[in-house]
Amino acid sequence: MLYPALEEELRISKGALNRATSDNLLILCKHYLDLLAGYRHQLYDLQKKPNTSPLVVSNLTRPELESRKAIRQAIETTTSERNRVQTLLLSFTTISAYEAVEIFNLRKHKGHNDWELRSSGVKFHNGTDSDLITIQEAVDLASLLRREDHIAQSGDKISTETR
């Protein structure tokens, strides 16, 4: 362990993210990303220290080489995790109106699989004006539905892994 306290905080934050609800998922993603960014920054600073400089590799002892390897591996793992969580967060926050309609149709939202995007909003085919929802409401609802799907899939994975 390179930074035990921070690594423990990361472990706790990742655990919280794995147990997230659709209501707190965005906040927990952002918090975890902030921690990952701080950890990654500290790893890069550690890598820049004189005894880990690439210019003195030939003079390094075996433990120092192992330390450099551990730092590099931690950076790669942290970067990969950051990319995964960023992609997850973006999947919830960058939904277009077209994607919202697609999500509604796939989920048969309100019993309909014929949702349409109109200039005035989103509604199902032959729906009345009272069935019309604004584009922003549709995007927000689609984000919630996508988060709920993610939570359900995560729960399924956890259930399968614990059997």
Side-chain angles (χ1 to χ4, degrees):
M1 293 181 108
L2 300 168
Y3 293 102
L6 184 51
E7 290 171 18
E8 177 65 10
E9 196 174 352
L10 281 165
R11 187 190 65 72
I12 291 168
S13 182
K14 184 176 184 176
L17 183 58
N18 290 338
R19 294 182 307 280
T21 65
S22 57
D23 294 330
N24 66 4
L25 184 59
L26 298 178
I27 293 167
L28 293 173
C29 276
K30 290 174 186 177
H31 177 68
Y32 187 44
L33 281 172
D34 287 344
L35 289 175
L36 286 167
Y39 182 57
R40 198 164 164 248
H41 180 74
Q42 287 188 3
L43 290 170
Y44 277 118
D45 284 349
L46 183 60
Q47 194 176 35
K48 292 176 188 173
K49 287 192 177 182
N51 66 340
T52 59
S53 169
L55 300 175
V56 294
V57 168
S58 61
N59 297 331
L60 292 178
T61 65
R62 184 148 188 87
E64 290 170 325
L65 282 172
E66 292 301 320
S67 174
R68 282 179 45 81
K69 222 183 229 182
I71 294 167
R72 188 172 52 251
Q73 180 61 45
I75 290 171
E76 289 173 10
T77 301
T78 303
T79 300
S80 176
E81 183 69 358
R82 183 206 58 190
N83 292 344
R84 182 189 72 81
V85 177
Q86 266 183 335
T87 301
L88 180 65
L89 182 60
L90 285 173
S91 77
F92 303 134
T93 59
T94 59
I95 296 174
S96 71
Y98 293 107
E99 287 175 302
V101 168
E102 185 178 322
I103 290 168
F104 291 173
N105 287 330
L106 287 172
R107 296 268 310 247
K108 294 188 178 179
H109 182 61
K110 293 188 178 181
H112 295 274
N113 65 351
D114 57 353
W115 288 87
E116 302 172 337
L117 178 60
R118 310 248 175 145
S119 60
S120 55
V122 175
K123 70 177 181 177
F124 51 88
H125 188 70
N126 293 330
T128 65
D129 285 342
S130 65
D131 298 316
L132 182 74
I133 57 177
T134 68
I135 291 173
Q136 186 60 55
E137 289 170 333
V139 167
D140 291 344
L141 179 56
S143 174
L144 175 64
L145 295 173
R146 190 173 273 174
R147 292 191 312 264
E148 288 174 352
D149 287 347
H150 172 77
I151 299 295
Q153 288 173 351
S154 295
D156 289 346
K157 285 180 188 173
I158 291 170
S159 298
T160 305
E161 290 171 359
T162 57
R163 287 183 192 163

